[in-house]
Amino acid sequence: MVGCCPPMDLMRSEEMQLVQLIIPLESSHLTVSHLGDLGLLQFKDLNADKSPFQRTYANQIKKCGEMARRLRYFREQMSNAGISAPPKSFTRNDIKVDDLEVKLGELEAELTEMNANNGKLQRTYNELVEYKLVLQKAGEFFHSAQSIAAAQQREMEAQQTEESLDTPLLTDQEKSGDPSKQVQLGFFTGLVPREKSMPFERILFRATRGNVFLRQTTAENPVTDPASGEKVEKNVFVIFYSGERAKTKILKICEAFGANRYPFSEDFGKQAQMLKEVSGKLSELRTTIDAGLLHRGNLLQTIGDQFEQWNILVRKEKSIYHTLNMLSMDVTKKCLVAEGWCPVFATQQIQDLLHRATLDSNSQVEAIFQVLYTKESPPTYFRTNKFTTAYQEIVDSYGIARYREANPTVYTVVTFPFLFAVMFGDWGHGICLLICTLYLVIREKKLGSQKLGDIMEMMFGGRYVILMMAIFSIYTGFIYNEFFSVPFELFGKSAYDCRDLSCKDATIDGLIKVRDAYPFGLDPVWHGSRSELPFLNSLKMKMSILLGVAQMNLGIMMSFCNATFFRSCVDIWFQFVPQIIFLNSLFGYLSFLIVLKWCTGSKADLYHIMIYMFLSPTDDLGENELFSGQKTTQIVLLLLALVAVPWMLLPKPFIMKRQHENRHQGESYIPLQAEESLQGEAANGSHGEHEEFEFSEVLVHQLIHTIEFVLGAVSNTASYLRLWALSLAHSELSTVFYDKVLMLAWGYNNVFILIIGIIVFIFATVGVLLVMETLSAFLHALRLHWVEFQNKFYFGDGYKFYPFSFSLMVEEEE
Amino acid sequence: MGFFVTSLIFLVIGIIACLCTRICFNRGPSTNLFHLTLVITATVCCWMMWAIVYLAQMKPLINPILNEAE
């Protein structure tokens, strides 16, 4: 900034340089890998014209992709089996990538084979389970049918002699059908999904025109379907039919309904034998399957132990080849040429690293490191820590700073939470917020390593912003004297008292000031009084303007810092000076009047003064005069403001034109375009120097800038009134919750109502005040910084430094 | 306590905070300057807020009129 001071952290982005690395082919992989570990070099793509398939290392990338696919397959299998990979097991048994590729292939083959076998076994097992069910249920059915038939037989024999009306018709028929005439009935047994059982029955009935007898029983437990492997509720059925045609029809229907049929024999002896056989097979299969699953689990566990390590290795490998693909091959095909941006401070580190890589890879030739000179604008890189990162991100989301321009983050760290707190002044709420963030801050190590939800992630990222917001809200809460909207007499006695002992006038004429003003913050006596709102409104409105003017002046001062840094006298004299004069001759003067009015206790009308300062500056001020010579001062200020406008508008374009002409004076020869292309890619950005100077364009640009500033001065000052509006809304809302919920519930003298009141109060406070109000105050503070503060100096048209870094890569994947 | 005495207290607190950060977080001249800026900005913000509220209550034009219910 200035010569006498050391450069301030974060004020300017790091100095960057464009460097060229010439790396021998044999050490290129290791070099890039080391650079990825360091993470301070942003490679430029020198093969932008080539498609991904035409590049040198396309095959290696394909291989890495294949390995990544295998790893994803393993992850899927592991999550199915309920095995979780330990997040970071740093058991450093170094494995080569080629070995890993072979190993992954073997493991995949083993796993797929195992899965196929297991699947087959499982299917057989499920079929057997179903078969067993059929055997049991149908067996029961046949058994009961047999016993009923036998009973009927006996009954019939008994009844044969005595015919009566009671004899049911059906038995009559059955009786008449003697065994010789009986038609041979066929039957099927099987299982059908329960939800399909009704349509199944209906279709069967229709298709065979009722010449079918279907019997169903429900299987108590859901059965695993062999085909799909899902648990399904099923019914066991037995179908009796007669005739070949009916048989084919039934078979087709069974198939259509996914009803599995199983052979069944009428003979009880055979049934028992089958049942025994099936049970035997089942237990055998169970042990086989269990053994298989155990084996698979073990395999997956061993994979899981090293999974994260492999995963990182593969991703690193892939990114290394991606980077290598961005380098251009030298004509001799013996070395690779890389170009990229790196911060100047990293020069030594990178050189050491190149040296180490050469040694490690036993290369005969050392890599060459050289700095290129370019007109291209370098990327913007701020070295932030865990505290400042969130603030830098707030600024970055508006626009990345131009290279080396003044960084608003330096002030945002304080002013952002401060302006938030002006809108969120309540030390009770501040303490709640503080407790929440303290939890996040204290447990940041643990929380940082685990995955959080979307909203939680955002809260965690901004924990230091919220921490500062909470601390400042506690401070402003003391200033506003509000604790969940309740005032406390913490800093001495109220300055006001009754006029006399009887205190009759207190509700009509009001109290009277008997002491010095309340020493810290707002006098508690105002709370709940009839004149609270007029007083608070006047105070907060004026406070907003004062804070706003202060912050806008700070913004213009930042533009001064920029101008001195870039050594642009034009910007100082024809931008900064008129701007600061314009703003302060109008709104600086207003601020001065506000303070003066407070100090003198004058009853002058500030609106009147400000309006007539423009309308009729020569008129007498009368009773609105705050200080002697005010009229002259006002005329001078008004003239200054009027002069400042053309001062901002006109000289700068003309001076720029002169400068441009001077620079190109005597240049009767225009450099050939071909010359430039000979210089190779290093001169890529040098077109900028020869660009045409369009005077009208510059003038229009300056005109827009001037108009924006002049109108902005008014509208931005008005915009700061949102501080007043939001802080008013906050205090009114918390008063409502306190008075109309908590105090109302208290008034009933009933424990039950009180508890309900407390619960409602807590929910309203948390939901509306702590969440919604925090959000809205946050957004308004954001706007005040982005628009009102930053438009005074911030260009924000840079681009971010994005180094090739493994740690960044890992973060992103997560 | 008048306006100037309390302002002086703010100043003293600011200086103490500056010294504290200088002693506790000494991380080279650039970072120290950054810390100094933060502490000064914070102190100025807090002081401004207090000063505004204090000044507004010094010679108020409105007096508090109590509510009848109270």
Side-chain angles (χ1 to χ4, degrees), chain A residues 26-52:
Chain A
E26 62 268 23
S27 66
S28 60
H29 186 273
L30 199 66
T31 310
V32 171
S33 160
H34 282 347
L35 284 171
D37 286 329
L38 181 68
L40 280 174
L41 188 70
Q42 177 179 355
F43 286 95
K44 275 169 86 173
D45 193 354
L46 301 179
N47 300 321
D49 50 333
K50 285 187 188 162
S51 78

Side-chain angles (χ1 to χ4, degrees), chain A residues 14-17 40-41 341-347 350 381 801:
Chain A
E14 294 298 330
E15 256 184 278
M16 306 298 274
Q17 58 191 5
L40 280 174
L41 188 70
W341 295 103
C342 75
V344 172
F345 71 82
T347 312
I350 290 177
Y381 173 46
F801 178 56

Side-chain angles (χ1 to χ4, degrees), chain B residues 23-44:
Chain B
I23 293 161
C24 302
F25 304 100
N26 189 3
R27 306 241 170 89
S30 313
T31 315
N32 287 342
L33 185 63
F34 174 57
H35 289 162
L36 192 71
T37 316
L38 291 191
V39 173
I40 290 175
T41 323
T43 316
V44 168

